[in-house]
Amino acid sequence: MASSMSPTTTKRKGPLENNNQNKSKKSHWSAALSDALDDESVRLYRDDLCTVIRDKFPKARIHLLVMPNEHITDLKCVNDTHLPLLKHMLKVGKEIAEKTAAKENAKGSFAQFRYGYHAIPSLALLHMHVISQDFISTSLKTKKHWNSFTTSYFLDASDVIDDLQANHAIRVDVARMKKLLDNELQCHECPHTFPTMPKLKQHLMTHIY
């Protein structure tokens, strides 16, 4: 007797459907920080102007992100009216870094911080990095990771404020900044250079104090 069950068929996704899925993934990635603004589980601090969270993939023992509560895509969208906000974000970043280091009993290079922005950010929401200078992290994996925090690709928050005050906008030489990501791996504490990330990371342990 013939079976009443029909063979299972798999519907192929058309180009339009695949494109929509790709757009959805891209949208989700770009919206990651926007979602984090409202996620109390990752929030360390919030006031009327900004929010502080831990970086989901920290590149050092302490790696925080300070974000404005209003939506500002990146530094290209910043103007004179945002000067008080950028100054406030830097002030808050320093305060939360100090409190976090004390809470975690971090000392030496684990409690030394830099505050700044990536010249070409990977996420579409303005965010200032607060990062300890140990760079001891399993999430620090590539040359791009390293050079984005240890070359002039990392724009010091104070310099960004000075640039905005002097020029009424943040100037970024995109072509030059992209080249910096291909720089050789050089220790941020000494002149030594390394052929691979594992060798660099092994060397970094000699600077921990």
Side-chain angles (χ1 to χ4, degrees):
M1 186 171 71
S3 171
S4 61
M5 296 180 62
S6 60
T8 302
T9 59
T10 302
K11 181 183 177 183
R12 278 189 184 176
K13 295 176 182 177
L16 183 59
E17 191 172 356
N18 282 329
N19 286 341
N20 287 338
Q21 283 195 342
N22 289 337
K23 287 180 181 178
S24 177
K25 289 179 181 178
K26 184 177 181 181
S27 176
H28 175 73
W29 172 248
S30 299
L33 291 183
S34 295
D35 293 342
L37 278 174
D38 299 318
D39 186 351
E40 294 184 5
S41 68
V42 299
R43 186 185 303 162
L44 294 180
Y45 173 88
R46 185 181 179 92
D47 61 25
D48 292 339
L49 297 177
C50 68
T51 297
V52 183
I53 65 171
R54 288 186 181 274
D55 193 294
K56 188 175 181 180
F57 302 102
K59 303 304 184 292
R61 176 175 172 180
I62 298 175
H63 187 180
L64 315 177
L65 301 178
V66 184
M67 302 172 291
N69 294 337
E70 67 171 294
H71 186 90
I72 303 173
T73 303
D74 54 31
L75 288 175
K76 291 183 293 185
C77 300
V78 169
N79 57 52
D80 286 341
T81 66
H82 297 114
L83 264 173
L85 172 64
L86 297 190
K87 290 179 179 180
H88 179 73
M89 287 170 62
L90 178 56
K91 176 177 178 288
V92 167
K94 290 180 177 180
E95 291 174 352
I96 301 303
E98 183 178 343
K99 290 179 180 179
T100 303
K103 184 176 180 180
E104 298 186 7
N105 197 30
K107 301 183 184 300
S109 53
F110 293 107
Q112 300 295 319
F113 295 91
R114 284 194 70 194
Y115 310 85
Y117 305 83
H118 281 152
I120 308 171
S122 58
L123 291 174
L125 184 65
L126 182 68
H127 53 285
M128 183 186 77
H129 293 269
V130 176
I131 187 165
S132 57
Q133 295 302 286
D134 53 279
F135 291 107
I136 304 301
S137 170
T138 56
S139 295
L140 184 69
K141 299 178 179 179
T142 69
K143 177 188 283 190
K144 181 178 179 180
H145 288 162
W146 179 254
N147 286 331
S148 71
F149 286 102
T150 60
T151 68
S152 53
Y153 187 94
F154 189 78
L155 308 176
D156 187 87
S158 295
D159 292 338
V160 167
I161 290 171
D162 290 344
D163 191 19
L164 183 58
Q165 287 178 319
N167 301 291
H168 313 292
I170 308 302
R171 303 164 302 169
V172 175
D173 185 338
V174 174
R176 185 177 75 85
M177 291 300 172
K178 286 182 177 179
K179 290 180 181 178
L180 290 175
L181 295 178
D182 291 324
N183 279 7
E184 64 181 341
L185 295 169
Q186 180 176 343
C187 177
H188 66 309
E189 295 283 1
C190 71
H192 285 88
T193 59
F194 302 88
T196 65
M197 281 297 296
K199 289 187 179 298
L200 169 62
K201 294 180 77 171
Q202 184 178 22
H203 170 79
L204 292 179
M205 297 302 296
T206 67
H207 289 294
I208 298 301
Y209 62 95

